[in-house]
Amino acid sequence: MIRRIAISLAVAAAFLVAAASCQPASDPVDYEATVVPKSSVADSDDGFTYVTVTAKGEWSIELQYPSEGPGDWAVMDPSSGKGSKTDVRIRYSQNEEDDARTVTLLLFSEGRQVHSATFTQFGQAPQTSTSDGYDTTTAGWLELPETKAGDGCVFLPHDMEGKKYLNKAQSGVRNWSCYWCYDEHVSYWVAYPHNNALIGRGERSNAWGVFDPLLPSFLQPNMANTYGGGWTRGHQIPSADRYNDKANRSTFYPTNMTPQEYNFNAGIWARLEGQIRSYAGSSDTTYVVTGCVLEGSNRWSGNNSGFTVKVPSAYFKAVLQKSTSTAVGHNGWRAAAWYLPHDTSIAGGSYYDYVLSVDALEKKLGYDLFVNLPSAVGAKLADEIEADCTWAK
């Protein structure tokens, strides 16, 4: 697994310059032949990553390094072949420097370059267990699930400007947080507080193609041109849950997206999103977690970004509500969850058929949702809240 590290905006900017400098002069448009690393990032240790080449005829791969920076630290094995291959490797030596380094894989077929992909190896920069040294438990926000050290993910909290949320004094109001997986190029979950005031006023920005400033852009799918392969760009925090201009633009970040079937996205999923907005309008605050499940999936997006993204096999939502009345639920608290298979056949169905308790969803996922609830209300009351979903059926 890729080790979680804290990446500053200055380093991200350096990555972008390096990536831009190593792009070929020609614009590859022929996607009949493609080169796609299984992972586009690696830690600082020596090793290799499998690369999939899709081609009909003979092909070769050349490595292009940035004009400024180290070179000759990676090699293709093999560097040429014929037809589609899944066992090609890019081998790399140990990175003993603090900074990350990048190389571009240029695929040639029939004498011309037809595709490219970027591969980055992290350096020896100091590591933290989470982004900038604090995790979901020390943050204390009620919407957050647990994080686990060493699982290849990073916790990224955003403010209403679309930048990094530090604290109320420095960043104003927190917006949404995500748990980004470097290997999969997707957030396992997105969590956020929800009420009418946070929705704000405005309209949908459709700000596709804007990258999350908390990560280097080359790690993120390019949402300007969809995922490819016929998959829609599915929001985890819906655009309609944040209408203030910059807050809405941030909901179009690639870190908030997953590849979804169109009918599922526009059908049962959209109706569930609307139901949760109605919950938020009738409570003091509703805390929401939306996530995707990749286990069991054998489907992949297109490779418009130079890499593919696994299509989730299921999606889930969980809500925790705080009412101004203690007569509601359990001393004013209630919770519920939904677990939906990512299947177009249920697009016209009812989300009520997929209600379950937060406890039951946690057992499916294998991690704790609303990890800070026991500290807020006590362990006994937290157990009661998470075990009861009758109000949502």
Side-chain angles (χ1 to χ4, degrees), residues 238 260 263-277 317 340 351:
Q260 277 189 338
N263 290 333
F264 177 91
N265 188 5
I268 191 171
W269 190 246
R271 293 193 297 275
L272 178 56
E273 290 175 334
Q275 179 62 69
I276 290 175
R277 272 191 294 278
K317 286 184 179 288
L340 281 67
Y351 52 80

Side-chain angles (χ1 to χ4, degrees), residues 196-392:
N196 286 339
L198 292 172
I199 292 175
R201 296 180 180 275
E203 58 186 19
R204 181 183 172 102
S205 64
N206 284 321
W208 300 111
V210 177
F211 290 102
D212 190 330
L214 305 191
L215 284 175
S217 62
F218 60 79
L219 297 178
Q220 306 173 52
N222 187 343
M223 294 291 93
N225 297 303
T226 78
Y227 281 100
W231 304 99
T232 62
R233 299 163 289 190
H235 288 68
Q236 297 207 61
I237 173 174
S239 166
D241 286 4
R242 294 289 189 266
Y243 270 143
N244 290 333
D245 179 55
K246 291 182 179 178
N248 184 267
R249 288 174 64 85
S250 77
T251 67
F252 289 85
Y253 288 167
T255 48
N256 186 43
M257 296 296 152
T258 66
Q260 277 189 338
E261 296 217 16
Y262 174 80
N263 290 333
F264 177 91
N265 188 5
I268 191 171
W269 190 246
R271 293 193 297 275
L272 178 56
E273 290 175 334
Q275 179 62 69
I276 290 175
R277 272 191 294 278
S278 72
Y279 291 153
S282 62
S283 67
D284 174 70
T285 303
T286 295
Y287 302 96
V288 185
V289 185
T290 299
C292 63
V293 178
L294 302 183
E295 290 78 5
S297 173
N298 58 5
R299 299 183 294 180
W300 298 82
S301 75
N303 51 18
N304 288 356
S305 303
F307 52 81
T308 58
V309 178
K310 186 177 288 187
V311 177
S313 57
Y315 288 92
F316 67 87
K317 286 184 179 288
V319 298
L320 171 67
Q321 284 191 299
K322 177 64 171 72
S323 173
T324 54
S325 171
T326 57
V328 172
H330 301 268
N331 198 30
W333 294 90
R334 62 184 186 180
W338 296 260
Y339 185 92
L340 281 67
H342 187 200
D343 189 336
T344 191
S345 68
I346 71 168
S350 171
Y351 52 80
Y352 288 108
D353 295 335
Y354 301 93
V355 178
L356 71 169
S357 69
V358 171
D359 273 347
L361 179 57
E362 289 174 338
K363 290 176 181 177
K364 280 181 172 288
L365 299 176
Y367 57 87
D368 190 15
L369 302 169
F370 307 124
V371 68
N372 296 307
L373 182 59
S375 298
V377 303
K380 183 176 183 299
L381 181 56
D383 287 343
E384 293 175 2
I385 295 166
E386 293 191 348
D388 182 12
C389 63
T390 54
W391 65 275

Side-chain angles (χ1 to χ4, degrees), residues 144-176:
L144 297 178
E146 70 173 320
T147 57
K148 296 181 179 179
D151 64 359
C153 300
V154 63
F155 169 53
L156 302 174
H158 300 79
D159 64 16
M160 287 293 178
E161 298 289 309
K163 301 176 182 178
K164 186 161 193 171
Y165 181 84
L166 301 173
N167 55 54
K168 189 172 183 179
Q170 293 178 271
S171 303
V173 179
R174 76 179 185 272
N175 188 357
W176 55 274

